[in-house]
Amino acid sequence: MSTAAISPDKSFGRTLKEWIFTIDHKRIGVLYLIGSLAAFAVAGLMAMLIRIELGSVGPTITNPNTYNTWLYFHGAAMILAFQIPALTGFLANYLVPLMIGAKDMAFPRLNALSLWLFWAGIIVALLTFVIPDSPDIMWTGYPPYSLRTGGNTALYVFTVHLMGFSSIVGGINLITTIMYMRAPGMTWRKLNIFVWSTLGAFILQLIFIPVLAAAVTMLLFDKYIGTHFFDPSAGGDVLLYQNLFWFYSHPAVYVILLPTMGMIFEITATFAKNRVFNYKMVVYGGIGGVVLLSGEVWIHHLFTSGMPDWIRMGMMVSTLMISIPVGLLMIGLIGTLYRAAIEYTTPMLYAVGFIFLFLIGGLTGIPNAMTAIDLAIHDTHFVVGHFHYVMAVSTTFAIFGSVYYLFPKMTGKMYNETLGKLGFLISFIGVNITFFTMMVVGIKGMPRRYFDYQQFAHLEGLHHIVTIGAFIIGIGAAVVLISWIHGLVAGRKAVDNPWSSKSVEWMTKTPPPPGNFHPIPRLSEDWHPYGYGN
């Protein structure tokens, strides 16, 4: 590969005006990161308040209505404003053009529109805390409760609309960029796994987001205009909403999982200095299989709802089948570590942590897929612990690890390894105390979403442990934030390629200048992003 020396523009991104009106994909990516981390902080605060309330039997610090608002904001913000934007907004924006050797996105102004739609969604969501009739309908918005509550269902619907429109605009831009703006020599078989996984995630977004938008719009019409889509007394069907909601929201799990796995592959290959094990299996079998099967498994969220048994059985089989492509991705990850000279930097620790947490989440998901078992544990804290392992904390570990991995490229400075590893260790201990104990509480019968549990008073001791674990997670998150601020203020200067990576994004200046490459790199036939020679 050949690149030319670049003179960095020292005035690049120094004023607030430049950031507000930017159409540069890297700065847009950073603004996505700031917004998603802000959402994570507020949603995390809601989680802490929920755990304080559940720390002991009886009302502790709030009332049921406020508790429901905390639950709503925690779920909606963590999924719609933190995880999906951090992965498909921040990481996809910042990395994809650099990884494929492009100077920017295909439609830079459309990219800026996507960003500000996302920020508008965050502002609308934050209005939850200033309006008198806060939404209290969880992130699912199930009728009939969402139609009868005095809470503001419209605020929930508008938040979903803004976030969804932002994702659709971003998806069109990313797919076009990957298809038409690859550098000479960047063939489909040389794309980074992260690029493939982002492509798969946005295909899912473009297919399934309109279904969610239609569902919440029908909810809006039922509550405020007087239609009866979900009103059984007037010929509607309340289960229609649940089917439409999960027809999008289960594929959304894979919208989160695919770029998460993609980043873990990037970090693992870089610090193992190994080729990705069986690249074709990972791309075609793993990513392709997930895209193919993710739309055929949503019924497992409705196993306890009324439906014919043959549908339950069919969806049980399809739910179990999707573990095959996910298993291929895990085989690719573990194989990449085989006989590797692993360097355990902070990003690599987060990658290993992800593998551990995701395995626990994946293995505890198998009982949920079995209809006979799911009927007993459905809507208990076991399910909450499971999906936090498989989706929430494992993905958050991948996002934090990615920020450490890209920290030198984004800021031009190195973070402190001791602080980074300390934050990882505290967080890793905290999440396992919290969510493993939460699964035990669920097996013992504790229902989810309950404000109080006087009928399960014997579980108070376990709830204490869960709450203590949540505080440990909070301390870990604070150490992570301190390490990033310390790196920004006092970090030593980073070289252009501190990880000695073979991937294109590390071959340009640190931080990358406007236009990324001057000229666009030409990749030789023997170049590969994982060409470490092992």
Side-chain angles (χ1 to χ4, degrees):
M1 193 194 83
S2 62
T3 56
I6 303 166
S7 298
D9 182 357
K10 295 186 182 302
S11 64
F12 178 55
R14 294 294 180 90
T15 66
L16 181 61
K17 180 181 177 182
E18 283 183 314
W19 281 90
I20 292 175
F21 293 101
T22 187
I23 56 172
D24 180 273
H25 72 96
K26 300 180 291 298
R27 281 187 277 177
I28 287 174
V30 171
L31 290 172
Y32 264 113
L33 175 63
I34 294 170
S36 58
L37 288 178
F40 172 79
V42 180
L45 177 62
M46 296 299 104
M48 298 299 293
L49 292 172
I50 291 167
R51 284 314 318 168
I52 293 172
E53 177 56 48
L54 293 178
S56 57
V57 175
T60 307
I61 58 172
T62 190
N63 56 66
N65 290 335
T66 303
Y67 180 83
N68 281 344
T69 298
W70 293 347
L71 274 180
Y72 156 75
F73 194 89
H74 173 71
M78 280 295 188
I79 295 171
L80 301 175
F82 167 55
Q83 293 198 325
I84 293 178
L87 293 161
T88 62
F90 158 54
L91 288 169
N93 259 292
Y94 195 91
L95 269 180
V96 169
L98 287 169
M99 279 181 164
I100 65 173
K103 61 182 179 181
D104 208 316
M105 300 288 281
F107 309 112
R109 286 176 175 78
L110 200 62
N111 205 23
L113 173 64
S114 172
L115 168 73
W116 293 115
L117 284 170
F118 161 68
W119 270 94
I122 285 186
I123 291 170
V124 171
L126 287 173
L127 291 177
T128 296
F129 302 109
V130 296
I131 61 174
D133 53 345
S134 305
D136 59 351
I137 55 176
M138 315 299 150
W139 84 288
T140 51
Y142 280 177
Y145 180 78
S146 58
L147 303 178
R148 296 173 180 172
T149 177
N152 195 323
T153 302
L155 200 70
Y156 163 75
V157 173
F158 293 149
T159 302
V160 171
H161 281 167
L162 287 166
M163 295 290 185
F165 194 31
S166 170
S167 289
I168 289 174
V169 170
I172 294 170
N173 208 355
L174 257 294
I175 292 173
T176 307
T177 302
I178 295 170
M179 291 183 67
Y180 295 107
M181 295 190 67
R182 302 190 310 276
M186 179 65 78
T187 64
W188 288 99
R189 293 183 178 182
K190 292 182 178 179
L191 288 181
N192 293 69
I193 298 297
F194 178 73
V195 178
W196 275 113
S197 63
T198 302
L199 182 64
F202 273 116
I203 289 172
L204 292 177
Q205 287 282 70
L206 292 183
I207 293 173
F208 293 105
I209 279 183
V211 179
L212 176 65
V216 297
T217 302
M218 293 159 73
L219 200 67
L220 187 77
F221 288 172
D222 267 16
K223 180 160 185 176
Y224 297 103
I225 298 180
T227 57
H228 302 285
F229 294 111
F230 308 124
D231 181 4
S233 65
D237 185 348
V238 73
L239 284 181
L240 172 63
Y241 178 84
Q242 293 190 30
N243 277 282
L244 291 172
F245 179 84
W246 286 111
F247 189 66
Y248 161 77
S249 296
H250 196 78
V253 171
Y254 302 103
V255 170
I256 293 171
L257 173 67
L258 286 177
T260 294
M261 295 286 278
M263 279 310 302
I264 295 299
F265 269 102
E266 301 304 325
I267 294 171
T268 301
T270 298
F271 293 108
K273 292 294 180 287
N274 231 350
R275 284 182 174 272
V276 166
F277 177 73
N278 208 330
Y279 177 91
K280 291 181 182 178
M281 173 196 72
V282 171
V283 173
Y284 303 129
I287 297 172
V290 167
V291 172
L292 189 66
L293 292 174
S294 64
E296 287 85 36
V297 299
W298 81 94
I299 289 292
H300 70 244
H301 292 277
L302 286 75
F303 276 161
T304 57
S305 302
M307 69 180 69
D309 286 341
W310 66 267
I311 295 181
R312 286 194 182 92
M313 295 301 293
M315 284 289 182
M316 179 185 76
V317 173
S318 62
T319 301
L320 291 171
M321 280 178 62
I322 205 164
S323 62
I324 296 173
V326 175
L328 294 178
L329 291 171
M330 291 302 291
I331 290 171
L333 266 180
I334 303 301
T336 304
L337 293 171
Y338 181 65
R339 289 187 171 182
I342 303 171
E343 186 181 358
Y344 285 102
T345 59
T346 301
M348 188 64 198
L349 286 178
Y350 276 99
V352 175
F354 164 84
I355 293 172
F356 179 84
L357 297 172
F358 187 75
L359 278 176
I360 293 182
L363 292 174
T364 54
I366 294 173
N368 293 321
M370 311 290 283
T371 51
I373 299 176
D374 184 78
L375 292 175
I377 60 175
H378 193 86
D379 272 347
T380 68
H381 271 224
F382 179 85
V383 177
V384 181
H386 152 71
F387 74 69
H388 273 82
Y389 263 113
V390 78
M391 177 180 162
V393 294
S394 59
T395 296
T396 301
F397 268 49
I399 293 169
F400 282 10
S402 301
V403 173
Y404 280 111
Y405 181 65
L406 293 174
F407 196 88
K409 183 58 67 180
M410 289 191 296
T411 66
K413 294 185 177 181
M414 297 299 295
Y415 60 86
N416 182 285
E417 280 286 354
T418 303
L419 277 175
K421 291 176 179 176
L422 180 63
F424 163 80
L425 183 63
I426 296 173
S427 301
F428 187 75
I429 293 170
V431 298
N432 283 290
I433 291 175
T434 300
F435 297 110
F436 193 85
T437 310
M438 192 176 284
M439 288 193 292
V440 175
V441 172
I443 290 174
K444 290 181 178 293
M446 176 71 196
R448 63 191 292 195
R449 302 182 180 124
Y450 273 35
F451 162 70
D452 191 18
Y453 52 98
Q454 294 193 26
Q455 63 272 52
F456 302 99
H458 60 288
L459 298 177
E460 188 175 33
L462 289 172
H463 275 294
H464 279 317
I465 296 173
V466 176
T467 302
I468 290 170
F471 275 96
I472 295 174
I473 296 172
I475 294 170
V479 175
V480 169
L481 179 62
I482 290 169
S483 75
W484 290 342
I485 294 173
H486 177 270
L488 281 171
V489 174
R492 60 183 169 82
K493 185 179 179 182
V495 298
D496 290 344
N497 188 5
W499 313 132
S500 302
S501 171
K502 300 290 185 183
S503 191
V504 173
E505 72 272 19
W506 297 100
M507 303 304 173
T508 186
K509 285 288 182 182
T510 293
N516 298 337
F517 306 95
H518 302 282
I520 294 297
R522 291 183 173 276
L523 305 170
S524 60
E525 287 189 8
D526 61 348
W527 173 87
H528 196 278
Y530 311 115
Y532 293 104
N534 295 329

